[in-house]
Amino acid sequence: MKKTFLKFMMAASVLGTVMTSCNSDDDANTNTCSDGIKNGDETGVDCGGSSCQPCALAELEGELSNELTLDASIAYELKGKFEVLDGGKLTIPAGTVIKATGGTASYIAVAQGGQIFVNGTASNPVVMTSGETAPEAGNWGGLVVCGNAPTNKGASVTSEVAGLTYGGTATDDNSGSIRYLRLEYTGAEFSADKQFNGLSLFGVGSGTTVEYVQSYNGKDDGIEFFGGTVNGKYLVSTNAGDDGIDFADGWNGNGEFWYVSGSAKAGLEGSNLKNETASVDPVTTTTLSNITVVGPVGEGALFYKEGGGNFTIDNFYTSGVNKGVSVKDSDIPAKTRIEAGNLVITNMEFANVADGFAKTDYTGANQSFISEGVATGAGNGAAAPDWAAGWTRGLDNSGVTESSLEGEINYQLNLDASVAYELKGKLEILDGGKLIIPAGTVIKATGGTASYIAVAQGGQIFVNGTASNPVVMTSGAATPEPGNWGGLVVCGNAPTNKGASVTSEVAGLTYGGTVTDDNSGSITYLRLEYTGAEFSAEKQFNGLSLFGVGSGTTVEYVQSYNGKDDGIEFFGGTVNGKYLVSTNAGDDGIDFADGWNGNGEFWYVSGSAKAGLEGSNLKNETASVNPVTTTTLSNITVVGPVTEGALFYKEGGGNFTIDNFYTSGVNKGISVKDSDTPAATRIEAGNLVITNIQFDAKATGFVETDYTGAKQDFYTEGTATGAGNGAAAPDWAAGWTVGL
């Protein structure tokens, strides 16, 4: 043992003391913190527990050629490559946590002849994770095991990550035992075209045990078998940046009880050999049973690829997938095997299929290789299986209850409503990225001005709240107040009259374009609280800011509560807004400007410091401005007090048609500045039409409008119900809003 031995001499001597010391009955249940014995509730020898100093931090790095047993009471920092050589043996007890801080250079690898024994339990798994303050996929490498079992790539091959030799003829080769292990935030690049998986098994033999392993939020595949004969049982892949579980290169093991969710590409990818020849041996051959794949996925529940192999699969449950089995038309070896009956899937169930679903894209004559039936999959259909409880994270029965959010994502990230999320800074969904937030998720922002969620052009967000279980984005402060954090910003490719490629006033992202039906995702039943932090000296976040967002995007049932600036604002774009609530905005309730060409219905605004609604076209507009803000609004309630009117028709206003507009307790109905010539021109031209506006419970000094132009009939009074119940909170706001 080289460098590593020196780093563990202190731990080894302490362990020796434990073995040669004796406990007295008097001391067995009392912390002494000084007698060289682990007693009382000490988590280590004279350390940890309720009264002793914390246990030591130890570093892992280098090569191991003999035996090393870690200590669960010690926090381990993986600073670089840690390699278990031929003859070496690494034993990791239940509850051990290893945090990687060395980035791309950090990984654990077991060479041929080496062994690893991960001895986690269901209640106390071993965890290998990122040491970053705000962890994200790709922070470190992963775990690599290389054995002497056969692969069809040769008898002595170099692994694509870690650069170790693998393969041979020992089918029952034994590289140790891995049980109850959770691998998090793996997938760093090893070379220009290769990334680590969570767990990579190269030519690993059947004498090795691989059971109860989860890969969570890895940047590449979750778990991959490269040849070998090892079996895999009770495997979980969650939010893989590529495939969930991958097997290839002549793997001849079997698998049962696999639960895969949130894979960016295929749920399972099974292949034989790229560019295979007729003499390739062994052929990938496996029997899989009790499998669940939960979508969305990009390449099907199973991608039968590069010759596929001899697969027998039974009790295969899928949910929310776009495709059952994917086979490329150009993959002649795969097609040959399907026609020969070498791919057989029985009792495959397709539940909650995605739009455009196809059972398979295989076009050959043999279409009977899939037999549908009722399946339970990994145990509970789409729901997390019972055997995953307590040691996994990101599932509905996981033991992990807290996680942080920060950074950039260009992959699909699925949040979990059972986890409490802390937004520590900016979370940006880049082009190609997708953030999915299930009903009941709560995100608390603690990073102040730096905390916000932003969706860039080409990115998407799916907020899937319900009336009884909304998604909540709020302040993490002990005493929350307006302006504690930024808010939610979405930037799309739809038109705005500020230009085709503009920088958003908050988040600093590009927006605008020509794609009127651009799709930035879907936002339903979302509550945003205590937003409005300053982004710059002159600009503050709104609760929800929509910059150039297209009509392909859904925005419904959204409340901004106690924000420091506007509640909700549309900056150009064509997206529609339905069932919107703004409560106690520090500026305007709902604002629309810069050539917005969407429509709105059922808006309920109360307690805005300035205007209930502010509608404008463009500051300092010219005659050639295009598009002009144009909207039809209906079923609107504004409850005062306000200081700038129920509607402020501002900076050229636009072409507005508004019906069933109820106001209560406002100082002014419609406000128009005398100096706003473009706004006055549009009113005189009949471009502002308001019908059935009701002024109820008028404030002292109330005026219907301060517009002084000739055309005073642009509004018509009438009985209105507004958002549903006049001044009272509408029925559709019940259960998911606050402060009404």
Side-chain angles (χ1 to χ4, degrees):
M1 197 169 165
K2 298 178 182 178
K3 185 177 180 181
T4 312
F5 178 75
L6 297 176
K7 294 190 176 183
F8 281 91
M9 281 187 67
M10 181 181 298
S13 65
V14 171
L15 291 173
T17 303
V18 176
M19 294 173 63
T20 57
S21 300
C22 296
N23 280 19
S24 69
D25 292 338
D26 292 338
D27 293 336
N29 298 310
T30 304
N31 292 11
T32 64
C33 306
S34 61
D35 64 355
I37 302 170
K38 179 180 176 183
N39 43 28
D41 67 353
E42 295 173 2
T43 57
V45 177
D46 295 335
C47 66
S50 59
S51 57
C52 303
Q53 292 295 318
C55 294
L57 171 68
E59 297 176 1
L60 280 175
E61 189 177 17
E63 297 175 340
L64 175 68
S65 58
N66 52 13
E67 296 187 14
L68 173 65
T69 298
L70 303 189
D71 180 348
S73 70
I74 294 176
Y76 292 94
E77 181 181 4
L78 181 64
K79 302 194 75 173
K81 175 187 76 171
F82 183 64
E83 187 174 325
V84 183
L85 303 178
D86 184 6
K89 185 183 293 186
L90 175 64
T91 301
I92 309 177
T96 303
V97 177
I98 299 172
K99 293 187 176 183
T101 59
T104 303
S106 286
Y107 59 91
I108 296 175
V110 181
Q112 286 180 315
Q115 289 185 308
I116 185 169
F117 293 88
V118 176
N119 298 327
T121 65
S123 60
N124 218 11
V126 170
V127 180
M128 300 179 184
T129 188
S130 167
E132 297 297 320
T133 304
E136 58 185 19
N139 274 167
W140 67 291
L143 175 59
V144 178
V145 184
C146 294
N148 293 281
T151 166
N152 61 24
K153 298 193 79 171
S156 184
V157 199
T158 300
S159 61
E160 63 179 38
V161 292
L164 296 175
T165 300
Y166 73 99
T169 59
T171 57
D172 61 350
D173 192 40
N174 184 351
S175 296
S177 173
I178 300 173
R179 301 186 81 249
Y180 291 106
L181 168 66
R182 192 169 71 237
L183 295 144
E184 303 175 347
Y185 307 108
T186 60
E189 288 188 357
F190 181 72
S191 63
D193 60 350
K194 297 296 181 184
Q195 291 174 313
F196 285 91
N197 306 306
L199 174 61
S200 300
L201 300 160
F202 290 93
V204 175
S206 61
T208 311
T209 298
V210 176
E211 297 178 351
Y212 301 101
V213 177
Q214 181 187 30
S215 172
Y216 174 79
N217 278 10
K219 197 169 185 180
D220 203 66
D221 294 345
I223 299 168
E224 185 162 3
F225 301 83
F226 298 84
T229 54
V230 65
N231 299 315
K233 296 174 63 175
Y234 305 106
L235 305 184
V236 179
S237 174
T238 310
N239 304 337
D242 201 288
D243 307 309
I245 301 179
D246 196 338
F247 45 96
D249 303 343
W251 180 52
N252 271 242
N254 298 319
E256 54 181 321
F257 296 104
W258 292 2
Y259 184 83
V260 177
S261 61
S263 301
K265 293 189 179 178
L268 309 184
E269 181 178 288
S271 57
N272 188 40
L273 182 66
K274 190 174 183 179
N275 304 319
E276 75 166 82
T277 62
S279 61
V280 67
D281 183 64
V283 172
T284 299
T285 301
T286 185
T287 296
L288 305 178
S289 59
N290 311 321
I291 310 298
T292 289
V293 172
V294 179
V297 293
E299 294 182 347
L302 168 65
F303 190 175
Y304 187 76
K305 184 180 178 184
E306 294 172 354
N310 307 317
F311 303 175
T312 301
I313 307 176
D314 183 57
N315 189 21
F316 192 172
Y317 181 97
T318 74
S319 175
V321 301
N322 64 330
K323 193 183 303 177
V325 180
S326 180
V327 187
K328 284 188 176 179
D329 286 339
S330 58
D331 194 340
I332 303 302
K335 296 171 77 171
T336 300
R337 289 195 172 96
I338 291 176
E339 293 303 313
N342 293 330
L343 173 60
V344 178
I345 305 175
T346 53
N347 296 310
M348 187 171 192
E349 181 173 349
F350 303 107
N352 304 313
V353 296
D355 291 341
F357 168 80
K359 185 164 68 172
T360 182
D361 57 7
Y362 179 63
T363 57
N366 181 13
Q367 291 291 312
S368 62
F369 67 90
I370 300 174
S371 298
E372 294 186 58
V374 176
T376 56
N380 294 325
D386 296 343
W387 52 261
W391 62 276
T392 59
R393 68 177 300 179
L395 309 182
D396 55 22
N397 62 1
S398 293
V400 175
T401 58
E402 297 180 357
S403 185
S404 60
L405 290 173
E406 187 177 18
E408 299 176 340
I409 59 171
N410 59 3
Y411 51 92
Q412 181 173 304
L413 175 60
N414 295 270
L415 302 190
D416 178 354
S418 69
V419 174
Y421 291 96
E422 181 181 3
L423 182 65
K424 292 187 169 184
K426 174 188 75 173
L427 178 67
E428 186 173 325
I429 298 91
L430 304 178
D431 185 7
K434 189 179 290 186
L435 177 63
I436 300 176
I437 310 177
T441 303
V442 177
I443 300 172
K444 293 187 176 182
T446 59
T449 302
S451 285
Y452 59 91
I453 297 175
V455 182
Q457 287 180 314
Q460 289 185 306
I461 185 170
F462 294 88
V463 176
N464 299 327
T466 66
S468 60
N469 219 11
V471 170
V472 179
M473 300 179 184
T474 189
S475 167
T479 307
E481 58 184 23
N484 273 166
W485 68 291
L488 175 59
V489 178
V490 184
C491 293
N493 294 281
T496 166
N497 61 24
K498 298 194 79 170
S501 185
V502 199
T503 300
S504 61
E505 64 179 38
V506 291
L509 296 175
T510 300
Y511 72 99
T514 58
V515 186
T516 56
D517 62 349
D518 192 39
N519 184 351
S520 297
S522 174
I523 301 172
T524 57
Y525 291 106
L526 169 65
R527 191 168 72 238
L528 295 144
E529 303 176 346
Y530 306 108
T531 61
E534 288 189 358
F535 181 73
S536 64
E538 299 178 348
K539 298 295 181 183
Q540 291 174 315
F541 285 91
N542 306 305
L544 174 62
S545 300
L546 299 161
F547 290 91
V549 174
S551 62
T553 310
T554 298
V555 177
E556 298 180 353
Y557 300 101
V558 178
Q559 180 186 28
S560 172
Y561 173 76
N562 280 8
K564 197 171 184 179
D565 203 67
D566 294 344
I568 299 168
E569 184 161 4
F570 301 82
F571 298 83
T574 53
V575 65
N576 299 315
K578 295 174 64 174
Y579 304 106
L580 305 185
V581 179
S582 175
T583 310
N584 303 337
D587 201 290
D588 307 309
I590 301 179
D591 195 338
F592 45 96
D594 302 343
W596 179 51
N597 270 241
N599 298 318
E601 54 181 320
F602 296 104
W603 291 2
Y604 184 82
V605 178
S606 61
S608 302
K610 294 188 178 178
L613 309 184
E614 181 177 288
S616 58
N617 189 40
L618 182 67
K619 189 174 183 178
N620 304 320
E621 74 166 83
T622 61
S624 62
V625 65
N626 184 59
V628 172
T629 298
T630 301
T631 186
T632 297
L633 305 179
S634 59
N635 310 320
I636 310 297
T637 289
V638 172
V639 178
V642 293
T643 59
E644 292 184 349
L647 169 66
F648 190 174
Y649 188 76
K650 184 179 178 184
E651 293 173 354
N655 308 318
F656 303 175
T657 301
I658 307 175
D659 183 56
N660 189 22
F661 191 174
Y662 179 94
T663 75
S664 175
V666 300
N667 67 325
K668 192 183 302 178
I670 303 101
S671 180
V672 187
K673 283 188 176 180
D674 288 339
S675 59
D676 193 341
T677 302
T681 299
R682 289 196 172 95
I683 291 175
E684 294 302 316
N687 294 330
L688 173 61
V689 178
I690 304 173
T691 52
N692 296 309
I693 187 170
Q694 181 174 348
F695 304 111
D696 202 4
K698 302 168 186 176
T700 303
F702 170 81
V703 293
E704 293 179 3
T705 182
D706 57 6
Y707 179 62
T708 57
K711 186 175 182 61
Q712 291 291 313
D713 62 351
F714 64 88
Y715 64 94
T716 304
E717 292 186 65
T719 300
T721 56
N725 294 325
D731 296 344
W732 53 261
W736 62 278
T737 59
V738 293
L740 305 185

